[in-house]
Amino acid sequence: MKKDLPDNNVEDIAIAVALEKESVESKIWYVYVINLKDVQIENVLITSKGYGEKNGEHVKTSVLRHMIPTIEPGAFALIEPIDEATFGLNNEYWLSYYIGKEIFDKKFIFLPESIVESNFIRLPVLNKPGVMIR
């Protein structure tokens, strides 16, 4: 049962949307998971989906699932490319991982129009411009 699960808080893990390349015609964006911990995380599972309203209609994207065997301390891993057309939606990333035999999980949600230049920072570890949720 849910009450039997440990209450493990996710700390020092981030999901980031980074601007990879920019040209006159287009921008290329990628989503990363960043391990800011000083320990390795293992069996990293991530589901991603987009949902919300566009032009007055309810819109949902496909649910994608990703598995990353390990992410070393102070390292990052690519989750997926992301299309600018979804920036007007809620972009949700549900992350689960293990440290030893303990499981951790957290939902990260980029709200509509939050992935904009005025919210950019220099992403740690990646050293690229983008938006990050910790």
Side-chain angles (χ1 to χ4, degrees):
M1 291 290 156
K2 189 172 182 176
K3 64 179 174 53
D4 297 324
L5 293 174
D7 188 24
N8 294 334
N9 292 327
V10 172
E11 295 175 341
D12 299 326
I13 299 291
I15 301 290
V17 177
L19 177 60
E20 291 291 315
K21 291 183 191 172
E22 186 173 12
S23 69
V24 175
E25 303 88 37
S26 67
K27 294 179 180 177
I28 298 174
W29 302 85
Y30 287 128
V31 182
Y32 294 92
V33 58
I34 304 172
N35 181 4
L36 299 167
K37 294 181 166 300
D38 57 4
V39 296
Q40 173 180 284
I41 60 175
E42 301 173 330
N43 297 321
V44 181
L45 300 170
I46 303 157
T47 61
S48 63
K49 66 180 178 180
Y51 55 90
E53 282 197 22
K54 196 164 193 173
N55 300 326
E57 292 187 33
H58 189 69
V59 177
K60 287 198 300 191
T61 66
S62 299
V63 175
L64 301 176
R65 291 169 180 81
H66 311 275
M67 198 286 180
I68 303 163
T70 60
I71 303 175
E72 296 298 321
F76 62 89
L78 174 66
I79 298 173
E80 64 187 11
I82 187 169
D83 189 331
E84 274 185 293
T86 66
F87 289 176
L89 302 174
N90 293 297
N91 287 284
E92 177 182 298
Y93 295 87
W94 197 328
L95 170 78
S96 297
Y97 62 90
Y98 284 86
I99 297 176
K101 294 186 181 209
E102 289 190 73
I103 189 168
F104 297 79
D105 76 319
K106 182 176 180 178
K107 193 182 296 185
F108 298 82
I109 301 174
F110 291 91
L111 298 174
E113 308 305 333
S114 63
I115 306 169
V116 293
E117 197 167 334
S118 61
N119 291 337
F120 280 12
I121 61 168
R122 179 63 55 184
L123 297 170
V125 183
L126 290 166
N127 198 28
K128 296 178 182 180
V131 179
M132 178 176 84
I133 300 175
R134 262 178 106 157

